Structure formats: structure tokens, C-alpha cells
Amino acid sequence: MKITIVGAGKVGSALTQQLSADGHNVTVIDQSPKLIDNIINIYDVYGVCGNGAVYGVQKEAEVDKNELLIATTSSDELNILSCLVAKKLGAKHTIARIRNPEYEKQLRFMREELGLSMAINPERAAAREIARVLRFPAAMKVESFSKGRLELVEYRLPQDSALDGLALVDLYRNIRVRVLICAVSRKGETIIPSGDFVLRSGDKIYLTSSPGQLAQFFRHLGVFRSRASTVTIVGASKICYYLASELLNMGMAVKIIDRDEQRCIQMSEQLPRALVIVGDGTDSDLLHEEGIQQTDAFVAITGIDEANILMSMCAAKQADKCKVVAKINRKSLVDLVSNESMIDSVISARSTTTELIVQYVRAMESASGAKIKTLHRLVDGAVEALEFGVTADVPFIGVPLKDLKLRNGLLLAGIVQQNGKIIIPSGGDCLSLGDDVIVVTTDTSLQDIHDILQ
């Protein structure tokens, strides 16, 4: 597809990398000549230097011939205007990055009256991802399918894990819990495992099942942690506002720490039920005074990656059973922290935003785009977990899965029936009309449920 990206910042660059790698014809617009030069030198894309909201600049970029324009600049107003101009020029779809909470209240108006196809709020998306992890603290990351009825969790096997040296066939036989290990990352290698695969300490495993069955699985391992009830957040940012709002609505006690007094005053006015403290979150004495030892979860979401890492490591030392989450945007630091298992969970607003937009693009790309209901990228994008709806035109409805010749590197990880029943697939199960089916695959070009067969 022909896609134009307005804004060559962090999100724009990540999207350019992903969409150009997927084979799309990408054009990037930015007012900085340096950023445009960098991006066209690194990726096989076309660059236009100028204001992405200007008619003449969009004409030069041939937006009128585009299927999609994505506006990801730091200005909400510029993004909205860019999408409006693109829609008037003839672009079929438009996506805007909108971060201001005030604009959230009028998204329906923007979609209906301005023709905006999708609005992405990176801070809100990141906050939701953190909230999911705090509901299930044993996991490094939690992804939801079929409106939360089936979940995929990421978990690293610690040293001396009860699963070390256990073949998956024995695991399923010995533990009477219906879970499926659908992907494993080991020393840079990504594996879609079969029954004879043997787990090792240090493996990063991806499991699917219902939330209840996953909780039973972690209880069996002796590593289950109850949902966090007290949370300390450092950094009174937009993410903090969205996260604290969600956690307070879930009944959690929230404490917010920030060194900027004005931001603290603003946050206390917006969230009167939260306890807001003016102070330096990197000060271990302050954390100790504020009861870090008793808190269930610690979340570092300042604008400085290094500070978030240091605070999280300090919190982990002071409180053994505390769930620690850090926001880290720089990929090199994410890789370092993840590989060394330094922090429980790492969240990146940029990667969360990119994933949501790629999901939309893949749905557009598919001949029956509505069938891709959810898409999550795992193991640094090497594996995708996709949710498809089973419609009447699927030719293998009612055929036992053991009789289907599935593609290599592909696994059916879960089936959610119309009545809400969760099925962890075995050879004798079949797909039925109206089911939601979760497919985990190393083929990152999968577009349709029909494509799962060889």
C-alpha cells in the first residue's frame, strides 16, 4: 500500500522501519531536513521536507493517491489538520496521534465529522498496558484477546524453576491446568515449540489461556502474586494521569511522587483520591520513608529512561515482593534490561503505539480486513499473535485440527466460542462459525485465517 507518515520522530521512525520492512510504499514528511535525510538514508522510503498540514506539501507527497496517512508529530493540532487535509485530498484512511486528554472527549466528533479513521493516544495505551501487568504481577507482560476472555502472558523461567528440564508433553500431562506454551525465546532464538520441546531456566515463555487458568498455573509453580492493591508511581506525567485514573477505578491505593511542585498540584487537583508527594523518586531514603517495603507495585514513568531504570532497581532491592515496572523508550536500553532480567516489566509508549497502528494497517491490507480483530507482536516482532473471527467462508469449519496441514512455524493457541467458552486446542477440536481463534506464528505477513494452511 501507499502510506504517508507525517513526523519523523521516534514513533514515525519506528513506523517507517516496520511498514517499509513489510513491503509498503512509504513516504515520510517532516519539517527537519536532517531527519528526512537520516530516514531516507536508513530506509528505502521517499522523503518530503515541509509542513505535513500544508496542501502543497501533501500534493508533492502524492497523498491523493494514498490508502493511508499517519500523523505522528508532537503537535495534536498539526496531526488533526494533516489528517483533515489528507482526507479532502482523497486519502482513504487517516490516523492521528492525539495526546491531549481534552481531545479525548470529542473523538467521536473527529471520526464522524472530520473523517478520522483512528486516534492513537500513546500515553493512554501505555497506561493500559501497565494496568494489565499490575492485575497479573507474575507476568512480565499481558496481552488480551476476545475482550479479555483469553490472555497471553510473557514469563521468564527463573533459576531453579520447577519447569527446568521438563518436556512440554510432560508438563501438560502432570499439571491439570489448561494452558498452552505457544512461543519460547532462548538466547536470541525464537521457537514455536512442539510437545517434545524441553524448557530451560532463563527461557522467556509465552502462555495462553483464560485468566483463571493462568492464575492456577502460576499458583502451581509457587510464583503467583495477587493483584496489586497499593501502587507507587514516580513521574507525574500524562501516562501517570491515565494510569492512576484506571488504578483508582479498580480500587487500588495510588501514591504519586514527582519533584515538580506545579505538576504535583495539578495532579492532586485532577486525581483527588491519589496521594501526591513532592520529592525526588531517585532518593532511596525518600522511597524508604514513603513505605516502599510495603507497596505491592512500583512504577517509574519519568521522561528519563536511565532514571527509570535506576529507580526500579533500587525499588526491587528495597522490596522483594514488589512488582516493578519501568517505562523505557530507547530500544538499546530495553534490550539491555530485558536480557539481564534487571526489571520485572518494561513498557514503551512508542512500541505500544507502533503495534496498534501496524494492527490497523494489517487489517486494511487483508482482503477481509475485519477478520483481524487483534494483533500483538512478541519477541521483538519476531512472532505475531493474531485474533481472527471465523466466518461462513472459512472452508475448514468443522474439520478436526489434526487433519489440517498448518504452515510451519504456526500454532493455534486458543479458541473462544460464541458462548465465551475457552478451548486450548488439541487435535480433535474443530473451528465453528462465530469462533474467535488466536494464531501464533513466526510468519509476520499473515493477513487472513485462510492463510494458516500450507
PDB file of all heavy atoms in Angstrom, residues 237-272:
ATOM      1  N   SER A 237       3.333  12.453  34.936  1.00  0.00           N
ATOM      2  CA  SER A 237       3.223  12.713  33.503  1.00  0.00           C
ATOM      3  C   SER A 237       1.812  12.404  33.017  1.00  0.00           C
ATOM      4  O   SER A 237       0.923  12.050  33.794  1.00  0.00           O
ATOM      5  CB  SER A 237       4.224  11.825  32.760  1.00  0.00           C
ATOM      6  OG  SER A 237       3.963  10.460  33.076  1.00  0.00           O
ATOM      7  N   LYS A 238       1.595  12.517  31.689  1.00  0.00           N
ATOM      8  CA  LYS A 238       0.294  12.156  31.117  1.00  0.00           C
ATOM      9  C   LYS A 238       0.014  10.671  31.356  1.00  0.00           C
ATOM     10  O   LYS A 238      -1.117  10.281  31.660  1.00  0.00           O
ATOM     11  CB  LYS A 238       0.275  12.461  29.616  1.00  0.00           C
ATOM     12  CG  LYS A 238       0.185  13.932  29.255  1.00  0.00           C
ATOM     13  CD  LYS A 238      -0.119  14.077  27.769  1.00  0.00           C
ATOM     14  CE  LYS A 238      -0.266  15.546  27.366  1.00  0.00           C
ATOM     15  NZ  LYS A 238       0.998  16.186  27.090  1.00  0.00           N
ATOM     16  N   ILE A 239       1.051   9.833  31.197  1.00  0.00           N
ATOM     17  CA  ILE A 239       0.853   8.397  31.453  1.00  0.00           C
ATOM     18  C   ILE A 239       0.399   8.196  32.888  1.00  0.00           C
ATOM     19  O   ILE A 239      -0.491   7.389  33.170  1.00  0.00           O
ATOM     20  CB  ILE A 239       2.154   7.603  31.198  1.00  0.00           C
ATOM     21  CG1 ILE A 239       2.522   7.616  29.724  1.00  0.00           C
ATOM     22  CG2 ILE A 239       2.003   6.150  31.667  1.00  0.00           C
ATOM     23  CD1 ILE A 239       3.765   6.822  29.387  1.00  0.00           C
ATOM     24  N   CYS A 240       1.001   8.945  33.815  1.00  0.00           N
ATOM     25  CA  CYS A 240       0.636   8.840  35.235  1.00  0.00           C
ATOM     26  C   CYS A 240      -0.838   9.150  35.430  1.00  0.00           C
ATOM     27  O   CYS A 240      -1.545   8.449  36.165  1.00  0.00           O
ATOM     28  CB  CYS A 240       1.501   9.786  36.068  1.00  0.00           C
ATOM     29  SG  CYS A 240       1.052   9.839  37.814  1.00  0.00           S
ATOM     30  N   TYR A 241      -1.322  10.198  34.778  1.00  0.00           N
ATOM     31  CA  TYR A 241      -2.738  10.573  34.918  1.00  0.00           C
ATOM     32  C   TYR A 241      -3.650   9.435  34.464  1.00  0.00           C
ATOM     33  O   TYR A 241      -4.574   9.038  35.176  1.00  0.00           O
ATOM     34  CB  TYR A 241      -3.027  11.844  34.111  1.00  0.00           C
ATOM     35  CG  TYR A 241      -4.505  12.134  33.982  1.00  0.00           C
ATOM     36  CD1 TYR A 241      -5.228  12.649  35.053  1.00  0.00           C
ATOM     37  CD2 TYR A 241      -5.173  11.846  32.799  1.00  0.00           C
ATOM     38  CE1 TYR A 241      -6.583  12.885  34.947  1.00  0.00           C
ATOM     39  CE2 TYR A 241      -6.531  12.078  32.677  1.00  0.00           C
ATOM     40  CZ  TYR A 241      -7.239  12.597  33.757  1.00  0.00           C
ATOM     41  OH  TYR A 241      -8.584  12.819  33.646  1.00  0.00           O
ATOM     42  N   TYR A 242      -3.383   8.898  33.265  1.00  0.00           N
ATOM     43  CA  TYR A 242      -4.233   7.823  32.739  1.00  0.00           C
ATOM     44  C   TYR A 242      -4.116   6.560  33.595  1.00  0.00           C
ATOM     45  O   TYR A 242      -5.117   5.902  33.886  1.00  0.00           O
ATOM     46  CB  TYR A 242      -3.850   7.504  31.294  1.00  0.00           C
ATOM     47  CG  TYR A 242      -4.201   8.586  30.306  1.00  0.00           C
ATOM     48  CD1 TYR A 242      -3.222   9.224  29.551  1.00  0.00           C
ATOM     49  CD2 TYR A 242      -5.523   8.978  30.116  1.00  0.00           C
ATOM     50  CE1 TYR A 242      -3.540  10.220  28.648  1.00  0.00           C
ATOM     51  CE2 TYR A 242      -5.846   9.982  29.212  1.00  0.00           C
ATOM     52  CZ  TYR A 242      -4.855  10.600  28.479  1.00  0.00           C
ATOM     53  OH  TYR A 242      -5.178  11.588  27.584  1.00  0.00           O
ATOM     54  N   LEU A 243      -2.881   6.224  34.000  1.00  0.00           N
ATOM     55  CA  LEU A 243      -2.662   5.014  34.792  1.00  0.00           C
ATOM     56  C   LEU A 243      -3.314   5.130  36.165  1.00  0.00           C
ATOM     57  O   LEU A 243      -4.035   4.219  36.603  1.00  0.00           O
ATOM     58  CB  LEU A 243      -1.160   4.760  34.941  1.00  0.00           C
ATOM     59  CG  LEU A 243      -0.755   3.594  35.845  1.00  0.00           C
ATOM     60  CD1 LEU A 243      -1.314   2.276  35.323  1.00  0.00           C
ATOM     61  CD2 LEU A 243       0.760   3.512  35.987  1.00  0.00           C
ATOM     62  N   ALA A 244      -3.054   6.240  36.843  1.00  0.00           N
ATOM     63  CA  ALA A 244      -3.624   6.422  38.183  1.00  0.00           C
ATOM     64  C   ALA A 244      -5.154   6.424  38.137  1.00  0.00           C
ATOM     65  O   ALA A 244      -5.804   5.852  39.018  1.00  0.00           O
ATOM     66  CB  ALA A 244      -3.103   7.722  38.788  1.00  0.00           C
ATOM     67  N   SER A 245      -5.734   7.042  37.111  1.00  0.00           N
ATOM     68  CA  SER A 245      -7.194   7.054  36.969  1.00  0.00           C
ATOM     69  C   SER A 245      -7.731   5.634  36.874  1.00  0.00           C
ATOM     70  O   SER A 245      -8.712   5.273  37.545  1.00  0.00           O
ATOM     71  CB  SER A 245      -7.604   7.842  35.722  1.00  0.00           C
ATOM     72  OG  SER A 245      -7.175   9.179  35.806  1.00  0.00           O
ATOM     73  N   GLU A 246      -7.075   4.812  36.057  1.00  0.00           N
ATOM     74  CA  GLU A 246      -7.526   3.438  35.876  1.00  0.00           C
ATOM     75  C   GLU A 246      -7.341   2.618  37.156  1.00  0.00           C
ATOM     76  O   GLU A 246      -8.225   1.840  37.539  1.00  0.00           O
ATOM     77  CB  GLU A 246      -6.765   2.796  34.710  1.00  0.00           C
ATOM     78  CG  GLU A 246      -7.331   1.461  34.289  1.00  0.00           C
ATOM     79  CD  GLU A 246      -6.975   1.089  32.862  1.00  0.00           C
ATOM     80  OE1 GLU A 246      -6.587   1.983  32.071  1.00  0.00           O
ATOM     81  OE2 GLU A 246      -7.092  -0.100  32.534  1.00  0.00           O
ATOM     82  N   LEU A 247      -6.206   2.790  37.824  1.00  0.00           N
ATOM     83  CA  LEU A 247      -5.942   2.024  39.043  1.00  0.00           C
ATOM     84  C   LEU A 247      -6.898   2.428  40.173  1.00  0.00           C
ATOM     85  O   LEU A 247      -7.369   1.570  40.935  1.00  0.00           O
ATOM     86  CB  LEU A 247      -4.494   2.224  39.488  1.00  0.00           C
ATOM     87  CG  LEU A 247      -3.406   1.769  38.513  1.00  0.00           C
ATOM     88  CD1 LEU A 247      -2.025   1.992  39.110  1.00  0.00           C
ATOM     89  CD2 LEU A 247      -3.589   0.310  38.119  1.00  0.00           C
ATOM     90  N   LEU A 248      -7.189   3.714  40.283  1.00  0.00           N
ATOM     91  CA  LEU A 248      -8.132   4.170  41.306  1.00  0.00           C
ATOM     92  C   LEU A 248      -9.524   3.603  41.057  1.00  0.00           C
ATOM     93  O   LEU A 248     -10.228   3.205  41.993  1.00  0.00           O
ATOM     94  CB  LEU A 248      -8.173   5.704  41.332  1.00  0.00           C
ATOM     95  CG  LEU A 248      -6.931   6.404  41.903  1.00  0.00           C
ATOM     96  CD1 LEU A 248      -6.956   7.896  41.581  1.00  0.00           C
ATOM     97  CD2 LEU A 248      -6.822   6.186  43.412  1.00  0.00           C
ATOM     98  N   ASN A 249      -9.911   3.544  39.783  1.00  0.00           N
ATOM     99  CA  ASN A 249     -11.214   2.962  39.439  1.00  0.00           C
ATOM    100  C   ASN A 249     -11.265   1.463  39.728  1.00  0.00           C
ATOM    101  O   ASN A 249     -12.344   0.903  39.915  1.00  0.00           O
ATOM    102  CB  ASN A 249     -11.538   3.212  37.965  1.00  0.00           C
ATOM    103  CG  ASN A 249     -11.855   4.671  37.682  1.00  0.00           C
ATOM    104  OD1 ASN A 249     -12.276   5.398  38.583  1.00  0.00           O
ATOM    105  ND2 ASN A 249     -11.642   5.106  36.456  1.00  0.00           N
ATOM    106  N   MET A 250     -10.087   0.808  39.753  1.00  0.00           N
ATOM    107  CA  MET A 250     -10.010  -0.617  40.084  1.00  0.00           C
ATOM    108  C   MET A 250      -9.936  -0.838  41.599  1.00  0.00           C
ATOM    109  O   MET A 250      -9.844  -1.982  42.053  1.00  0.00           O
ATOM    110  CB  MET A 250      -8.778  -1.237  39.410  1.00  0.00           C
ATOM    111  CG  MET A 250      -8.887  -1.331  37.888  1.00  0.00           C
ATOM    112  SD  MET A 250      -7.283  -1.614  37.074  1.00  0.00           S
ATOM    113  CE  MET A 250      -6.792  -3.172  37.804  1.00  0.00           C
ATOM    114  N   GLY A 251      -9.955   0.249  42.375  1.00  0.00           N
ATOM    115  CA  GLY A 251      -9.952   0.129  43.824  1.00  0.00           C
ATOM    116  C   GLY A 251      -8.581   0.076  44.455  1.00  0.00           C
ATOM    117  O   GLY A 251      -8.452  -0.267  45.644  1.00  0.00           O
ATOM    118  N   MET A 252      -7.523   0.405  43.695  1.00  0.00           N
ATOM    119  CA  MET A 252      -6.165   0.386  44.249  1.00  0.00           C
ATOM    120  C   MET A 252      -5.845   1.708  44.937  1.00  0.00           C
ATOM    121  O   MET A 252      -6.385   2.759  44.575  1.00  0.00           O
ATOM    122  CB  MET A 252      -5.141   0.131  43.138  1.00  0.00           C
ATOM    123  CG  MET A 252      -5.304  -1.213  42.436  1.00  0.00           C
ATOM    124  SD  MET A 252      -3.977  -1.474  41.218  1.00  0.00           S
ATOM    125  CE  MET A 252      -4.554  -2.961  40.391  1.00  0.00           C
ATOM    126  N   ALA A 253      -4.951   1.660  45.923  1.00  0.00           N
ATOM    127  CA  ALA A 253      -4.442   2.869  46.577  1.00  0.00           C
ATOM    128  C   ALA A 253      -3.212   3.351  45.810  1.00  0.00           C
ATOM    129  O   ALA A 253      -2.274   2.576  45.593  1.00  0.00           O
ATOM    130  CB  ALA A 253      -4.081   2.576  48.029  1.00  0.00           C
ATOM    131  N   VAL A 254      -3.237   4.620  45.384  1.00  0.00           N
ATOM    132  CA  VAL A 254      -2.187   5.139  44.496  1.00  0.00           C
ATOM    133  C   VAL A 254      -1.444   6.282  45.172  1.00  0.00           C
ATOM    134  O   VAL A 254      -2.050   7.215  45.715  1.00  0.00           O
ATOM    135  CB  VAL A 254      -2.794   5.620  43.155  1.00  0.00           C
ATOM    136  CG1 VAL A 254      -1.709   6.244  42.281  1.00  0.00           C
ATOM    137  CG2 VAL A 254      -3.476   4.471  42.434  1.00  0.00           C
ATOM    138  N   LYS A 255      -0.100   6.205  45.120  1.00  0.00           N
ATOM    139  CA  LYS A 255       0.778   7.260  45.639  1.00  0.00           C
ATOM    140  C   LYS A 255       1.635   7.746  44.472  1.00  0.00           C
ATOM    141  O   LYS A 255       2.239   6.941  43.756  1.00  0.00           O
ATOM    142  CB  LYS A 255       1.659   6.699  46.748  1.00  0.00           C
ATOM    143  CG  LYS A 255       2.519   7.725  47.466  1.00  0.00           C
ATOM    144  CD  LYS A 255       3.361   7.052  48.552  1.00  0.00           C
ATOM    145  CE  LYS A 255       2.493   6.485  49.660  1.00  0.00           C
ATOM    146  NZ  LYS A 255       3.305   5.886  50.747  1.00  0.00           N
ATOM    147  N   ILE A 256       1.677   9.070  44.258  1.00  0.00           N
ATOM    148  CA  ILE A 256       2.410   9.656  43.125  1.00  0.00           C
ATOM    149  C   ILE A 256       3.523  10.550  43.664  1.00  0.00           C
ATOM    150  O   ILE A 256       3.287  11.381  44.555  1.00  0.00           O
ATOM    151  CB  ILE A 256       1.464  10.478  42.219  1.00  0.00           C
ATOM    152  CG1 ILE A 256       0.364   9.576  41.637  1.00  0.00           C
ATOM    153  CG2 ILE A 256       2.240  11.160  41.097  1.00  0.00           C
ATOM    154  CD1 ILE A 256      -0.769  10.338  40.977  1.00  0.00           C
ATOM    155  N   ILE A 257       4.739  10.387  43.132  1.00  0.00           N
ATOM    156  CA  ILE A 257       5.899  11.188  43.556  1.00  0.00           C
ATOM    157  C   ILE A 257       6.471  11.914  42.334  1.00  0.00           C
ATOM    158  O   ILE A 257       6.681  11.307  41.282  1.00  0.00           O
ATOM    159  CB  ILE A 257       6.989  10.296  44.181  1.00  0.00           C
ATOM    160  CG1 ILE A 257       6.448   9.541  45.401  1.00  0.00           C
ATOM    161  CG2 ILE A 257       8.205  11.129  44.572  1.00  0.00           C
ATOM    162  CD1 ILE A 257       7.426   8.521  45.974  1.00  0.00           C
ATOM    163  N   ASP A 258       6.717  13.220  42.476  1.00  0.00           N
ATOM    164  CA  ASP A 258       7.352  13.994  41.406  1.00  0.00           C
ATOM    165  C   ASP A 258       8.070  15.177  42.038  1.00  0.00           C
ATOM    166  O   ASP A 258       7.591  15.743  43.036  1.00  0.00           O
ATOM    167  CB  ASP A 258       6.320  14.467  40.382  1.00  0.00           C
ATOM    168  CG  ASP A 258       6.964  14.939  39.083  1.00  0.00           C
ATOM    169  OD1 ASP A 258       7.564  16.034  39.072  1.00  0.00           O
ATOM    170  OD2 ASP A 258       6.863  14.219  38.075  1.00  0.00           O
ATOM    171  N   ARG A 259       9.195  15.567  41.464  1.00  0.00           N
ATOM    172  CA  ARG A 259       9.978  16.667  42.037  1.00  0.00           C
ATOM    173  C   ARG A 259       9.426  18.036  41.633  1.00  0.00           C
ATOM    174  O   ARG A 259       9.769  19.048  42.249  1.00  0.00           O
ATOM    175  CB  ARG A 259      11.447  16.554  41.615  1.00  0.00           C
ATOM    176  CG  ARG A 259      11.665  16.709  40.129  1.00  0.00           C
ATOM    177  CD  ARG A 259      13.156  16.791  39.796  1.00  0.00           C
ATOM    178  NE  ARG A 259      13.847  15.557  40.106  1.00  0.00           N
ATOM    179  CZ  ARG A 259      15.161  15.411  40.000  1.00  0.00           C
ATOM    180  NH1 ARG A 259      15.902  16.414  39.590  1.00  0.00           N
ATOM    181  NH2 ARG A 259      15.735  14.241  40.272  1.00  0.00           N
ATOM    182  N   ASP A 260       8.555  18.084  40.594  1.00  0.00           N
ATOM    183  CA  ASP A 260       7.991  19.350  40.122  1.00  0.00           C
ATOM    184  C   ASP A 260       6.727  19.675  40.932  1.00  0.00           C
ATOM    185  O   ASP A 260       5.706  19.004  40.793  1.00  0.00           O
ATOM    186  CB  ASP A 260       7.666  19.248  38.635  1.00  0.00           C
ATOM    187  CG  ASP A 260       7.267  20.587  38.033  1.00  0.00           C
ATOM    188  OD1 ASP A 260       6.399  21.255  38.621  1.00  0.00           O
ATOM    189  OD2 ASP A 260       7.801  20.940  36.968  1.00  0.00           O
ATOM    190  N   GLU A 261       6.822  20.727  41.758  1.00  0.00           N
ATOM    191  CA  GLU A 261       5.699  21.066  42.648  1.00  0.00           C
ATOM    192  C   GLU A 261       4.446  21.444  41.867  1.00  0.00           C
ATOM    193  O   GLU A 261       3.329  21.062  42.238  1.00  0.00           O
ATOM    194  CB  GLU A 261       6.105  22.227  43.569  1.00  0.00           C
ATOM    195  CG  GLU A 261       5.038  22.572  44.596  1.00  0.00           C
ATOM    196  CD  GLU A 261       5.502  23.657  45.564  1.00  0.00           C
ATOM    197  OE1 GLU A 261       6.687  24.048  45.502  1.00  0.00           O
ATOM    198  OE2 GLU A 261       4.669  24.094  46.379  1.00  0.00           O
ATOM    199  N   GLN A 262       4.605  22.176  40.756  1.00  0.00           N
ATOM    200  CA  GLN A 262       3.445  22.602  39.981  1.00  0.00           C
ATOM    201  C   GLN A 262       2.708  21.409  39.381  1.00  0.00           C
ATOM    202  O   GLN A 262       1.476  21.354  39.375  1.00  0.00           O
ATOM    203  CB  GLN A 262       3.888  23.572  38.868  1.00  0.00           C
ATOM    204  CG  GLN A 262       2.752  24.377  38.261  1.00  0.00           C
ATOM    205  CD  GLN A 262       1.977  25.183  39.288  1.00  0.00           C
ATOM    206  OE1 GLN A 262       2.561  25.813  40.172  1.00  0.00           O
ATOM    207  NE2 GLN A 262       0.648  25.134  39.207  1.00  0.00           N
ATOM    208  N   ARG A 263       3.486  20.457  38.882  1.00  0.00           N
ATOM    209  CA  ARG A 263       2.856  19.239  38.323  1.00  0.00           C
ATOM    210  C   ARG A 263       2.126  18.475  39.418  1.00  0.00           C
ATOM    211  O   ARG A 263       1.065  17.899  39.182  1.00  0.00           O
ATOM    212  CB  ARG A 263       3.902  18.349  37.657  1.00  0.00           C
ATOM    213  CG  ARG A 263       4.238  18.754  36.236  1.00  0.00           C
ATOM    214  CD  ARG A 263       4.658  17.550  35.389  1.00  0.00           C
ATOM    215  NE  ARG A 263       5.816  16.865  35.913  1.00  0.00           N
ATOM    216  CZ  ARG A 263       7.051  16.976  35.411  1.00  0.00           C
ATOM    217  NH1 ARG A 263       7.261  17.767  34.385  1.00  0.00           N
ATOM    218  NH2 ARG A 263       8.054  16.318  35.929  1.00  0.00           N
ATOM    219  N   CYS A 264       2.697  18.437  40.600  1.00  0.00           N
ATOM    220  CA  CYS A 264       2.055  17.730  41.717  1.00  0.00           C
ATOM    221  C   CYS A 264       0.729  18.389  42.095  1.00  0.00           C
ATOM    222  O   CYS A 264      -0.265  17.700  42.360  1.00  0.00           O
ATOM    223  CB  CYS A 264       2.984  17.691  42.926  1.00  0.00           C
ATOM    224  SG  CYS A 264       4.381  16.556  42.740  1.00  0.00           S
ATOM    225  N   ILE A 265       0.725  19.711  42.119  1.00  0.00           N
ATOM    226  CA  ILE A 265      -0.518  20.437  42.431  1.00  0.00           C
ATOM    227  C   ILE A 265      -1.583  20.126  41.387  1.00  0.00           C
ATOM    228  O   ILE A 265      -2.747  19.838  41.718  1.00  0.00           O
ATOM    229  CB  ILE A 265      -0.249  21.957  42.504  1.00  0.00           C
ATOM    230  CG1 ILE A 265       0.644  22.280  43.705  1.00  0.00           C
ATOM    231  CG2 ILE A 265      -1.563  22.743  42.576  1.00  0.00           C
ATOM    232  CD1 ILE A 265       1.143  23.718  43.731  1.00  0.00           C
ATOM    233  N   GLN A 266      -1.181  20.155  40.116  1.00  0.00           N
ATOM    234  CA  GLN A 266      -2.121  19.860  39.032  1.00  0.00           C
ATOM    235  C   GLN A 266      -2.647  18.430  39.139  1.00  0.00           C
ATOM    236  O   GLN A 266      -3.851  18.177  38.980  1.00  0.00           O
ATOM    237  CB  GLN A 266      -1.431  20.073  37.686  1.00  0.00           C
ATOM    238  CG  GLN A 266      -2.342  19.878  36.490  1.00  0.00           C
ATOM    239  CD  GLN A 266      -1.600  20.081  35.177  1.00  0.00           C
ATOM    240  OE1 GLN A 266      -0.383  20.263  35.155  1.00  0.00           O
ATOM    241  NE2 GLN A 266      -2.329  20.047  34.073  1.00  0.00           N
ATOM    242  N   MET A 267      -1.751  17.478  39.444  1.00  0.00           N
ATOM    243  CA  MET A 267      -2.156  16.074  39.534  1.00  0.00           C
ATOM    244  C   MET A 267      -3.095  15.850  40.717  1.00  0.00           C
ATOM    245  O   MET A 267      -4.056  15.081  40.622  1.00  0.00           O
ATOM    246  CB  MET A 267      -0.915  15.188  39.650  1.00  0.00           C
ATOM    247  CG  MET A 267      -1.167  13.712  39.410  1.00  0.00           C
ATOM    248  SD  MET A 267      -1.693  13.312  37.718  1.00  0.00           S
ATOM    249  CE  MET A 267      -0.208  13.700  36.788  1.00  0.00           C
ATOM    250  N   SER A 268      -2.829  16.514  41.837  1.00  0.00           N
ATOM    251  CA  SER A 268      -3.698  16.351  43.009  1.00  0.00           C
ATOM    252  C   SER A 268      -5.085  16.924  42.755  1.00  0.00           C
ATOM    253  O   SER A 268      -6.079  16.434  43.289  1.00  0.00           O
ATOM    254  CB  SER A 268      -3.063  17.012  44.232  1.00  0.00           C
ATOM    255  OG  SER A 268      -2.947  18.408  44.048  1.00  0.00           O
ATOM    256  N   GLU A 269      -5.175  17.972  41.919  1.00  0.00           N
ATOM    257  CA  GLU A 269      -6.482  18.536  41.557  1.00  0.00           C
ATOM    258  C   GLU A 269      -7.238  17.601  40.616  1.00  0.00           C
ATOM    259  O   GLU A 269      -8.459  17.448  40.735  1.00  0.00           O
ATOM    260  CB  GLU A 269      -6.290  19.911  40.902  1.00  0.00           C
ATOM    261  CG  GLU A 269      -5.800  20.985  41.869  1.00  0.00           C
ATOM    262  CD  GLU A 269      -5.441  22.275  41.161  1.00  0.00           C
ATOM    263  OE1 GLU A 269      -5.409  22.288  39.908  1.00  0.00           O
ATOM    264  OE2 GLU A 269      -5.179  23.280  41.860  1.00  0.00           O
ATOM    265  N   GLN A 270      -6.512  16.976  39.705  1.00  0.00           N
ATOM    266  CA  GLN A 270      -7.158  16.074  38.745  1.00  0.00           C
ATOM    267  C   GLN A 270      -7.536  14.738  39.384  1.00  0.00           C
ATOM    268  O   GLN A 270      -8.534  14.117  39.000  1.00  0.00           O
ATOM    269  CB  GLN A 270      -6.217  15.819  37.555  1.00  0.00           C
ATOM    270  CG  GLN A 270      -5.975  17.038  36.688  1.00  0.00           C
ATOM    271  CD  GLN A 270      -4.929  16.777  35.611  1.00  0.00           C
ATOM    272  OE1 GLN A 270      -3.964  16.042  35.817  1.00  0.00           O
ATOM    273  NE2 GLN A 270      -5.117  17.390  34.449  1.00  0.00           N
ATOM    274  N   LEU A 271      -6.709  14.302  40.368  1.00  0.00           N
ATOM    275  CA  LEU A 271      -6.927  12.993  40.995  1.00  0.00           C
ATOM    276  C   LEU A 271      -6.969  13.161  42.520  1.00  0.00           C
ATOM    277  O   LEU A 271      -6.015  12.823  43.224  1.00  0.00           O
ATOM    278  CB  LEU A 271      -5.795  12.033  40.602  1.00  0.00           C
ATOM    279  CG  LEU A 271      -5.611  11.767  39.104  1.00  0.00           C
ATOM    280  CD1 LEU A 271      -4.289  11.053  38.863  1.00  0.00           C
ATOM    281  CD2 LEU A 271      -6.762  10.938  38.563  1.00  0.00           C
ATOM    282  N   PRO A 272      -8.074  13.679  43.053  1.00  0.00           N
ATOM    283  CA  PRO A 272      -8.126  13.955  44.495  1.00  0.00           C
ATOM    284  C   PRO A 272      -8.026  12.711  45.372  1.00  0.00           C
ATOM    285  O   PRO A 272      -7.662  12.821  46.548  1.00  0.00           O
ATOM    286  CB  PRO A 272      -9.501  14.639  44.659  1.00  0.00           C
ATOM    287  CG  PRO A 272     -10.281  14.282  43.434  1.00  0.00           C
ATOM    288  CD  PRO A 272      -9.279  14.107  42.343  1.00  0.00           C
TER     289      PRO A 272
END
